[in-house]
Amino acid sequence: MTETEGVPVGGELTALVLGVGGNVSQGILKALELCEPRPRVVAACVTPESAGLYTADRSHVSPYASDPGFAGWLTEVCRSEGVDVVMSGAEPVLDALSGLAAELRKQAGATAIVSSPETLRVGRDKLRTTEWLDANGFNAPATVDAEDADAVERLASELGMPLIAKPRFGKGAQGVVEVSSQRDLDWVAGRDDYVVQQLLGDEGSEYTVGCFGDSTGQVRGSMAMRRVLQQGTTVFAEAGDFPEVRAEAERIAGSLRPLGPCNVQLRLDGGRPVCFEINVRFSGTTPIRARLGFNEVSETIRHYVLGEPAREMPRVTSGIAVRYWNELYLDGDAFRSLAAAGRLDEPAAHSMLVEDYGVRS
Protein backbone atom coordinates (compact mmCIF):
# COMPACT_ATOMS: atom_id res chain seq x y z
CA MET A 1 0.00 0.00 0.00
CA THR A 2 1.27 3.46 -0.84
CA GLU A 3 0.64 6.26 1.59
CA THR A 4 -2.16 8.53 0.43
CA GLU A 5 -1.53 12.19 -0.15
CA GLY A 6 -3.00 14.67 2.26
CA VAL A 7 -6.35 16.14 1.24
CA PRO A 8 -6.33 19.95 1.09
CA VAL A 9 -8.82 21.71 3.30
CA GLY A 10 -7.46 25.16 2.52
CA GLY A 11 -6.73 28.21 4.65
CA GLU A 12 -5.92 28.58 8.32
CA LEU A 13 -8.32 26.49 10.34
CA THR A 14 -8.55 25.36 13.96
CA ALA A 15 -10.27 22.11 14.85
CA LEU A 16 -11.36 21.18 18.37
CA VAL A 17 -11.71 17.45 19.03
CA LEU A 18 -13.52 16.45 22.21
CA GLY A 19 -13.29 13.14 24.08
CA VAL A 20 -9.80 12.25 22.86
CA GLY A 21 -9.43 9.50 25.44
CA GLY A 22 -11.64 7.33 23.23
CA ASN A 23 -10.60 5.51 20.09
CA VAL A 24 -13.12 7.24 17.82
CA SER A 25 -11.96 10.75 18.69
CA GLN A 26 -8.35 9.61 18.43
CA GLY A 27 -9.24 8.36 14.94
CA ILE A 28 -10.50 11.86 14.09
CA LEU A 29 -7.12 13.22 15.21
CA LYS A 30 -5.37 10.75 12.90
CA ALA A 31 -7.58 11.77 9.96
CA LEU A 32 -6.82 15.44 10.64
CA GLU A 33 -3.11 14.64 10.36
CA LEU A 34 -3.74 13.53 6.76
CA CYS A 35 -5.31 16.85 5.76
CA GLU A 36 -3.11 19.18 3.71
CA PRO A 37 -2.53 21.73 5.03
CA ARG A 38 -3.00 20.18 8.44
CA PRO A 39 -5.37 22.28 10.57
CA ARG A 40 -4.28 23.53 13.96
CA VAL A 41 -5.65 20.96 16.40
CA VAL A 42 -6.96 21.60 19.92
CA ALA A 43 -7.79 18.47 21.92
CA ALA A 44 -9.91 18.10 25.05
CA CYS A 45 -10.90 15.33 27.42
CA VAL A 46 -12.15 14.90 30.97
CA THR A 47 -8.87 13.52 32.32
CA PRO A 48 -5.17 14.33 31.73
CA GLU A 49 -4.60 10.59 31.36
CA SER A 50 -6.06 10.64 27.82
CA ALA A 51 -3.44 9.90 25.18
CA GLY A 52 -4.94 12.15 22.52
CA LEU A 53 -4.20 15.24 24.61
CA TYR A 54 -0.47 14.80 24.00
CA THR A 55 -0.65 14.69 20.21
CA ALA A 56 -2.41 18.03 19.57
CA ASP A 57 -1.16 21.62 19.28
CA ARG A 58 -2.92 22.62 22.50
CA SER A 59 -4.83 20.58 25.06
CA HIS A 60 -7.51 21.22 27.65
CA VAL A 61 -9.06 19.21 30.44
CA SER A 62 -12.81 19.55 29.94
CA PRO A 63 -15.90 19.10 32.11
CA TYR A 64 -18.10 16.10 31.40
CA ALA A 65 -20.73 16.77 28.74
CA SER A 66 -23.39 16.27 31.42
CA ASP A 67 -21.87 18.98 33.62
CA PRO A 68 -23.99 22.18 33.82
CA GLY A 69 -20.82 24.15 33.08
CA PHE A 70 -19.99 22.29 29.86
CA ALA A 71 -21.76 24.70 27.50
CA GLY A 72 -20.07 27.75 28.96
CA TRP A 73 -16.67 26.05 28.99
CA LEU A 74 -17.07 24.99 25.35
CA THR A 75 -18.07 28.46 24.18
CA GLU A 76 -15.15 30.05 25.98
CA VAL A 77 -12.61 27.58 24.58
CA CYS A 78 -13.96 28.05 21.05
CA ARG A 79 -13.67 31.82 21.42
CA SER A 80 -10.22 31.87 23.00
CA GLU A 81 -8.76 29.28 20.62
CA GLY A 82 -10.42 30.65 17.49
CA VAL A 83 -12.08 27.29 16.82
CA ASP A 84 -13.70 26.83 13.41
CA VAL A 85 -14.98 23.27 13.75
CA VAL A 86 -15.85 21.01 16.70
CA MET A 87 -15.82 17.22 16.32
CA SER A 88 -16.12 14.23 18.61
CA GLY A 89 -16.63 10.50 18.53
CA ALA A 90 -17.92 10.32 22.11
CA GLU A 91 -21.69 9.77 22.09
CA PRO A 92 -22.48 11.67 25.34
CA VAL A 93 -20.55 14.62 23.90
CA LEU A 94 -22.45 14.43 20.61
CA ASP A 95 -25.77 14.32 22.48
CA ALA A 96 -24.81 17.55 24.23
CA LEU A 97 -23.37 19.17 21.10
CA SER A 98 -26.53 18.49 19.13
CA GLY A 99 -28.51 20.76 21.43
CA LEU A 100 -25.75 23.38 21.61
CA ALA A 101 -24.76 23.58 17.94
CA ALA A 102 -26.87 26.57 16.89
CA GLU A 103 -25.94 28.69 19.92
CA LEU A 104 -22.27 27.72 19.61
CA ARG A 105 -22.25 28.92 16.02
CA LYS A 106 -23.91 32.17 17.07
CA GLN A 107 -21.76 32.85 20.14
CA ALA A 108 -18.37 31.57 18.98
CA GLY A 109 -18.55 31.12 15.21
CA ALA A 110 -17.70 27.42 15.48
CA THR A 111 -19.44 24.71 13.46
CA ALA A 112 -20.24 21.54 15.41
CA ILE A 113 -20.25 18.43 13.23
CA VAL A 114 -23.26 16.67 14.68
CA SER A 115 -26.67 15.58 13.45
CA SER A 116 -30.01 16.60 14.96
CA PRO A 117 -31.14 15.03 18.25
CA GLU A 118 -33.86 13.08 16.40
CA THR A 119 -31.37 11.60 13.93
CA LEU A 120 -28.90 10.73 16.69
CA ARG A 121 -31.62 8.86 18.58
CA VAL A 122 -32.21 6.55 15.61
CA GLY A 123 -28.68 5.28 15.98
CA ARG A 124 -28.29 5.46 19.74
CA ASP A 125 -31.34 3.37 20.65
CA LYS A 126 -31.00 -0.18 19.28
CA LEU A 127 -34.76 -0.74 19.43
CA ARG A 128 -35.45 2.49 17.58
CA THR A 129 -32.80 1.56 15.00
CA THR A 130 -34.62 -1.59 13.94
CA GLU A 131 -38.03 0.12 14.10
CA TRP A 132 -36.71 2.86 11.82
CA LEU A 133 -35.18 0.33 9.41
CA ASP A 134 -38.47 -1.61 9.25
CA ALA A 135 -40.54 1.54 8.77
CA ASN A 136 -38.33 2.69 5.89
CA GLY A 137 -38.26 -0.63 4.05
CA PHE A 138 -34.75 -1.80 4.90
CA ASN A 139 -33.56 -5.24 5.93
CA ALA A 140 -33.43 -5.47 9.74
CA PRO A 141 -32.97 -8.23 12.31
CA ALA A 142 -36.09 -9.35 14.19
CA THR A 143 -35.89 -7.40 17.45
CA VAL A 144 -38.02 -7.07 20.58
CA ASP A 145 -37.90 -4.97 23.71
CA ALA A 146 -36.58 -7.26 26.45
CA GLU A 147 -38.94 -5.61 28.94
CA ASP A 148 -41.79 -7.41 27.13
CA ALA A 149 -41.12 -10.93 28.46
CA ASP A 150 -43.88 -12.45 26.34
CA ALA A 151 -42.36 -10.97 23.18
CA VAL A 152 -38.98 -12.40 24.14
CA GLU A 153 -40.47 -15.86 24.53
CA ARG A 154 -42.30 -15.58 21.20
CA LEU A 155 -39.11 -14.55 19.41
CA ALA A 156 -37.26 -17.54 20.84
CA SER A 157 -40.12 -19.82 19.84
CA GLU A 158 -40.23 -18.48 16.29
CA LEU A 159 -36.48 -18.26 15.58
CA GLY A 160 -34.97 -20.69 18.05
CA MET A 161 -31.68 -20.03 19.77
CA PRO A 162 -29.08 -18.64 19.84
CA LEU A 163 -30.29 -15.05 19.91
CA ILE A 164 -28.40 -11.88 20.83
CA ALA A 165 -29.20 -9.63 23.80
CA LYS A 166 -27.68 -6.16 23.97
CA PRO A 167 -28.21 -2.90 25.88
CA ARG A 168 -30.57 -0.52 24.09
CA PHE A 169 -28.08 2.32 24.51
CA GLY A 170 -24.81 0.38 24.63
CA LYS A 171 -21.65 0.87 22.60
CA GLY A 172 -19.12 -1.57 21.23
CA ALA A 173 -19.63 -5.01 22.72
CA GLN A 174 -20.38 -3.79 26.23
CA GLY A 175 -23.11 -5.92 27.77
CA VAL A 176 -23.72 -8.01 24.64
CA VAL A 177 -24.53 -11.64 25.44
CA GLU A 178 -25.48 -14.65 23.37
CA VAL A 179 -28.79 -16.17 24.46
CA SER A 180 -28.37 -19.89 23.93
CA SER A 181 -30.39 -21.51 26.74
CA GLN A 182 -33.61 -21.08 28.69
CA ARG A 183 -31.53 -19.84 31.60
CA ASP A 184 -30.12 -17.05 29.38
CA LEU A 185 -33.62 -16.25 28.16
CA ASP A 186 -34.93 -16.01 31.72
CA TRP A 187 -32.07 -13.67 32.61
CA VAL A 188 -32.87 -11.16 29.86
CA ALA A 189 -36.69 -11.40 29.70
CA GLY A 190 -38.26 -8.49 31.55
CA ARG A 191 -35.15 -6.25 31.57
CA ASP A 192 -36.00 -2.63 30.81
CA ASP A 193 -32.62 -1.69 29.34
CA TYR A 194 -32.07 -4.45 26.77
CA VAL A 195 -33.26 -5.66 23.38
CA VAL A 196 -33.27 -9.26 22.18
CA GLN A 197 -32.39 -9.74 18.56
CA GLN A 198 -32.08 -12.29 15.80
CA LEU A 199 -28.53 -13.59 15.40
CA LEU A 200 -27.46 -12.69 11.87
CA GLY A 201 -25.11 -14.67 9.65
CA ASP A 202 -21.69 -15.35 11.13
CA GLU A 203 -18.62 -13.40 12.26
CA GLY A 204 -16.96 -13.82 8.86
CA SER A 205 -19.75 -11.91 7.10
CA GLU A 206 -19.66 -8.63 9.04
CA TYR A 207 -19.09 -5.31 7.31
CA THR A 208 -18.62 -1.69 8.32
CA VAL A 209 -19.46 1.02 5.78
CA GLY A 210 -18.52 4.67 6.15
CA CYS A 211 -20.83 7.03 4.25
CA PHE A 212 -20.56 10.78 3.68
CA GLY A 213 -23.71 12.83 3.13
CA ASP A 214 -23.90 16.43 1.94
CA SER A 215 -26.15 19.22 3.18
CA THR A 216 -28.95 18.15 0.82
CA GLY A 217 -28.95 14.60 2.19
CA GLN A 218 -27.29 13.12 -0.90
CA VAL A 219 -24.70 10.43 -0.21
CA ARG A 220 -21.48 11.51 -1.91
CA GLY A 221 -19.53 8.34 -1.35
CA SER A 222 -19.05 5.26 0.78
CA MET A 223 -16.30 2.80 1.62
CA ALA A 224 -17.02 -0.75 2.76
CA MET A 225 -14.74 -3.06 4.70
CA ARG A 226 -15.14 -6.62 5.86
CA ARG A 227 -14.01 -6.71 9.45
CA VAL A 228 -13.10 -8.83 12.44
CA LEU A 229 -14.05 -7.59 15.91
CA GLN A 230 -12.43 -8.06 19.29
CA GLN A 231 -14.42 -6.80 22.28
CA GLY A 232 -16.40 -4.51 20.01
CA THR A 233 -13.39 -2.95 18.26
CA THR A 234 -12.31 -3.63 14.69
CA VAL A 235 -8.95 -5.39 14.76
CA PHE A 236 -8.86 -6.46 11.10
CA ALA A 237 -10.38 -4.59 8.16
CA GLU A 238 -10.26 -5.45 4.46
CA ALA A 239 -11.59 -2.93 1.95
CA GLY A 240 -13.40 -4.26 -1.11
CA ASP A 241 -16.07 -3.49 -3.67
CA PHE A 242 -18.88 -5.38 -1.86
CA PRO A 243 -21.51 -3.74 -4.11
CA GLU A 244 -24.65 -5.10 -2.42
CA VAL A 245 -23.39 -4.21 1.05
CA ARG A 246 -22.33 -0.73 -0.01
CA ALA A 247 -25.57 -0.06 -1.89
CA GLU A 248 -27.70 -1.01 1.13
CA ALA A 249 -25.60 1.23 3.40
CA GLU A 250 -25.90 4.15 0.98
CA ARG A 251 -29.68 3.72 0.80
CA ILE A 252 -29.87 3.77 4.60
CA ALA A 253 -27.66 6.86 4.92
CA GLY A 254 -29.55 8.61 2.13
CA SER A 255 -32.85 8.03 3.91
CA LEU A 256 -31.55 9.00 7.35
CA ARG A 257 -29.87 12.19 6.05
CA PRO A 258 -27.21 12.71 8.73
CA LEU A 259 -25.01 15.78 8.80
CA GLY A 260 -21.84 14.46 7.19
CA PRO A 261 -20.54 11.13 8.49
CA CYS A 262 -22.62 8.00 9.04
CA ASN A 263 -21.37 4.48 9.76
CA VAL A 264 -23.59 1.53 8.86
CA GLN A 265 -22.83 -1.95 10.21
CA LEU A 266 -24.21 -5.00 8.47
CA ARG A 267 -23.99 -8.77 8.20
CA LEU A 268 -24.87 -11.05 5.32
CA ASP A 269 -27.76 -13.27 6.31
CA GLY A 270 -29.17 -15.70 3.80
CA GLY A 271 -27.17 -13.89 1.11
CA ARG A 272 -28.70 -10.47 1.80
CA PRO A 273 -27.07 -7.54 3.65
CA VAL A 274 -28.88 -6.77 6.92
CA CYS A 275 -28.12 -3.66 8.96
CA PHE A 276 -27.98 -4.15 12.72
CA GLU A 277 -26.41 -0.88 13.85
CA ILE A 278 -26.09 2.73 12.67
CA ASN A 279 -23.53 5.12 14.13
CA VAL A 280 -24.62 8.65 13.24
CA ARG A 281 -21.09 9.98 13.61
CA PHE A 282 -17.50 9.29 12.69
CA SER A 283 -16.65 5.70 13.58
CA GLY A 284 -13.72 3.75 14.97
CA THR A 285 -12.61 2.82 11.46
CA THR A 286 -12.49 6.46 10.26
CA PRO A 287 -8.65 6.64 10.38
CA ILE A 288 -8.32 3.41 8.39
CA ARG A 289 -10.52 4.77 5.63
CA ALA A 290 -8.65 8.09 5.70
CA ARG A 291 -5.27 6.38 5.33
CA LEU A 292 -6.60 4.33 2.42
CA GLY A 293 -7.86 7.46 0.64
CA PHE A 294 -11.43 8.02 1.92
CA ASN A 295 -11.08 10.90 4.39
CA GLU A 296 -14.55 11.74 5.75
CA VAL A 297 -13.08 14.24 8.23
CA SER A 298 -11.43 16.30 5.49
CA GLU A 299 -14.50 16.21 3.26
CA THR A 300 -16.75 17.21 6.17
CA ILE A 301 -14.57 20.25 6.87
CA ARG A 302 -14.48 21.24 3.19
CA HIS A 303 -18.24 21.11 2.76
CA TYR A 304 -19.76 22.02 6.13
CA VAL A 305 -17.15 24.45 7.46
CA LEU A 306 -15.49 26.01 4.42
CA GLY A 307 -18.68 25.96 2.40
CA GLU A 308 -17.21 24.24 -0.65
CA PRO A 309 -19.61 22.45 -3.02
CA ALA A 310 -19.97 18.78 -2.19
CA ARG A 311 -18.09 16.44 -4.50
CA GLU A 312 -18.03 12.72 -5.12
CA MET A 313 -15.55 11.01 -2.80
CA PRO A 314 -12.97 8.51 -4.08
CA ARG A 315 -14.08 4.92 -4.54
CA VAL A 316 -11.64 2.85 -2.51
CA THR A 317 -11.89 -0.94 -2.91
CA SER A 318 -8.55 -2.30 -1.72
CA GLY A 319 -6.40 -2.22 1.39
CA ILE A 320 -6.00 -4.19 4.59
CA ALA A 321 -5.44 -2.90 8.12
CA VAL A 322 -4.52 -4.88 11.24
CA ARG A 323 -4.62 -3.17 14.63
CA TYR A 324 -2.39 -3.61 17.66
CA TRP A 325 -1.74 -1.89 21.00
CA ASN A 326 0.91 0.80 21.22
CA GLU A 327 2.40 3.09 23.88
CA LEU A 328 3.11 6.81 24.17
CA TYR A 329 5.63 7.78 26.86
CA LEU A 330 5.04 11.16 28.47
CA ASP A 331 7.12 13.87 30.05
CA GLY A 332 6.02 13.74 33.70
CA ASP A 333 6.17 17.53 33.99
CA ALA A 334 3.81 17.90 31.02
CA PHE A 335 1.32 15.49 32.57
CA ARG A 336 1.44 17.23 35.95
CA SER A 337 1.15 20.67 34.34
CA LEU A 338 -1.95 19.67 32.39
CA ALA A 339 -3.48 18.07 35.47
CA ALA A 340 -2.86 21.18 37.59
CA ALA A 341 -3.67 23.94 35.08
CA GLY A 342 -6.25 22.21 32.91
CA ARG A 343 -4.40 23.35 29.80
CA LEU A 344 -1.15 22.47 28.06
CA ASP A 345 0.42 24.62 25.35
CA GLU A 346 2.35 22.85 22.60
CA PRO A 347 2.21 19.29 23.96
CA ALA A 348 4.56 18.15 21.18
CA ALA A 349 7.29 20.46 22.51
CA HIS A 350 7.59 18.27 25.60
CA SER A 351 9.80 15.22 25.41
CA MET A 352 7.74 12.18 24.40
CA LEU A 353 8.34 8.83 22.82
CA VAL A 354 5.92 6.84 20.68
CA GLU A 355 6.82 3.15 20.63
CA ASP A 356 7.96 2.34 17.09
CA TYR A 357 7.40 -1.41 17.24
CA GLY A 358 6.72 -2.74 13.77
CA VAL A 359 8.29 0.24 11.97
CA ARG A 360 10.93 -0.75 9.43
CA SER A 361 13.00 1.87 7.65
Side-chain angles (χ1 to χ4, degrees):
M1 183 193 76
T2 57
E3 183 172 329
T4 58
E5 294 182 358
V7 183
V9 296
E12 290 294 324
L13 185 141
T14 295
L16 171 63
V17 184
L18 301 166
V20 297
N23 69 311
V24 182
S25 289
Q26 288 173 12
I28 294 171
L29 293 175
K30 292 178 182 179
L32 286 168
E33 289 291 330
L34 296 176
C35 295
E36 181 60 46
R38 172 190 178 277
R40 175 175 172 266
V41 178
V42 179
C45 202
V46 296
T47 170
E49 297 169 358
S50 299
L53 294 172
Y54 302 94
T55 64
D57 298 301
R58 180 166 290 159
S59 297
H60 293 264
V61 176
S62 72
Y64 282 90
S66 59
D67 190 303
F70 176 77
W73 172 88
L74 179 61
T75 300
E76 177 54 33
V77 166
C78 286
R79 284 173 173 165
S80 64
E81 297 286 3
V83 170
D84 300 286
V85 57
V86 182
M87 294 177 283
S88 182
E91 290 178 337
V93 173
L94 291 172
D95 289 342
L97 274 181
S98 189
L100 297 172
E103 192 65 17
L104 186 65
R105 182 68 177 267
K106 179 180 177 181
Q107 296 294 329
T111 299
I113 303 303
V114 61
S115 290
S116 69
E118 295 78 14
T119 305
L120 289 180
R121 279 195 288 270
V122 171
R124 288 274 278 136
D125 183 340
K126 303 299 186 294
L127 183 61
R128 186 179 293 231
T129 299
T130 55
E131 291 174 343
W132 182 88
L133 289 167
D134 281 331
N136 287 275
F138 299 110
N139 300 328
T143 304
V144 298
D145 186 346
E147 189 173 12
D148 186 342
D150 290 338
V152 172
E153 291 289 349
R154 283 196 301 271
L155 187 68
S157 177
E158 292 168 3
L159 299 182
M161 290 187 271
L163 300 168
I164 287 291
K166 61 179 69 172
R168 281 185 63 170
F169 300 94
K171 62 179 181 178
Q174 293 179 6
V176 177
V177 296
E178 185 173 295
V179 179
S180 55
S181 68
Q182 186 61 47
R183 180 178 179 182
D184 296 335
L185 206 63
D186 292 341
W187 176 83
V188 73
R191 295 186 66 106
D192 63 358
D193 55 347
Y194 264 68
V195 295
V196 180
Q197 198 167 74
Q198 173 187 3
L199 178 61
L200 300 169
D202 57 51
E203 293 180 352
S205 66
E206 184 157 322
Y207 298 83
T208 178
V209 185
C211 300
F212 173 76
D214 68 18
S215 56
T216 70
Q218 182 177 348
V219 176
R220 291 292 186 159
S222 67
M223 180 176 166
M225 297 186 290
R226 184 179 67 83
R227 68 172 182 175
V228 175
L229 290 170
Q230 191 174 93
Q231 296 181 335
T233 298
T234 300
V235 294
F236 174 90
E238 178 182 17
D241 193 12
F242 311 125
E244 292 183 0
V245 170
R246 201 160 44 79
E248 180 75 356
E250 287 190 1
R251 286 193 292 268
I252 290 169
S255 181
L256 188 59
R257 299 169 65 91
L259 190 153
C262 183
N263 171 249
V264 182
Q265 299 176 14
L266 314 93
R267 277 191 177 187
L268 293 180
D269 187 75
R272 61 177 190 149
V274 182
C275 172
F276 62 90
E277 186 162 323
I278 306 171
N279 292 315
V280 192
R281 54 171 171 78
F282 295 110
S283 73
T285 46
T286 292
I288 297 175
R289 286 190 293 273
R291 177 62 68 177
L292 293 176
F294 189 91
N295 195 333
E296 303 140 271
V297 171
S298 177
E299 202 62 27
T300 295
I301 291 173
R302 281 177 174 276
H303 182 54
Y304 286 97
V305 182
L306 300 179
E308 296 184 12
R311 59 183 185 176
E312 298 301 316
M313 292 192 68
R315 185 172 179 181
V316 179
T317 59
S318 64
I320 293 177
V322 181
R323 277 185 166 141
Y324 68 98
W325 283 98
N326 203 9
E327 292 79 40
L328 188 154
Y329 297 91
L330 303 178
D331 179 344
D333 289 339
F335 174 82
R336 286 185 286 272
S337 176
L338 179 58
R343 168 178 151 170
L344 184 65
D345 298 336
E346 299 184 65
H350 299 272
S351 59
M352 288 187 293
L353 171 69
V354 178
E355 185 62 63
D356 61 358
Y357 168 78
V359 176
R360 298 290 183 268
S361 59

